[in-house]
Amino acid sequence: GAGVSQSPSNKVTEKGKDVELRCDPISGHTALYWYRQSLGQGLEFLIYFQGNSAPDKSGLPSDRFSAERTGGSVSTLTIQRTQQEDSAVYLCASSWGAGAEQPQHFGDGTRLSIL
Amino acid sequence: AQTVTQSQPEMSVQEAETVTLSCTYDTSESDYYLFWYKQPPSRQMILVIRQEAYKQQNATENRFSVNFQKAAKSFSLKISDSQLGDAAMYFCAYRSAGSGTYKYIFGTGTRLKVLA
């Protein structure tokens, strides 16, 4: 079956522009995570969605970052007024539920480059 | 707060040989999960192996095994009979087992090179 799909694969934009990153989780997966992976770093948690519960936005680095998940499926991560430090790979992962026994399935990520 | 440390930025291993990647973590919790993820150049993270802290037996998945030392808060990954396809970034991760918790904490990764 289809895995987690992220688009675009690569995005280059000018500083100050807004960008929107998309994540299509595996069908039926209720949990969805966004991570940021900067060069030479591990994965930094950004936001978590679980079913219809309010998302955990505690990892979002600033109010320029926001995310939504429509209909419990597709999620979009929006970065407004992009800065050069936003350059990173943004990874999305989904799982059947919130339990740790449910493995995360990752997408290929979006590489964001801010000029 | 929990932390995960991978002190080896890069490791090399000869094809068919064995290599061990190190990971230490810090937590005050008694029940948690530990993971090793592999990230090849394609960027897609793949779960390699998982260990539940309450299980004393070390997890094994084919050529991959862990040495889990709970008291020492150490969780190393051993790759036996290394193959060219094992070349990747390897990340160690921690997750609390408590209800209502779901955050994964990742280390900074170890780049593994496999030499032919």
Side-chain angles (χ1 to χ4, degrees), chain B residues 71-83:
Chain B
K73 296 179 182 174
S74 171
F75 182 61
S76 60
L77 175 69
K78 186 172 84 170
I79 306 174
S80 303
D81 185 26
S82 297
Q83 301 175 359

Side-chain angles (χ1 to χ4, degrees), chain B residues 50-66:
Chain B
R50 179 181 67 196
Q51 176 78 43
E52 296 163 67
Y54 67 87
K55 289 186 177 179
Q56 294 190 356
Q57 185 173 6
N58 289 323
T60 299
E61 288 287 342
N62 300 313
R63 297 182 295 106
F64 299 86
S65 62
V66 299

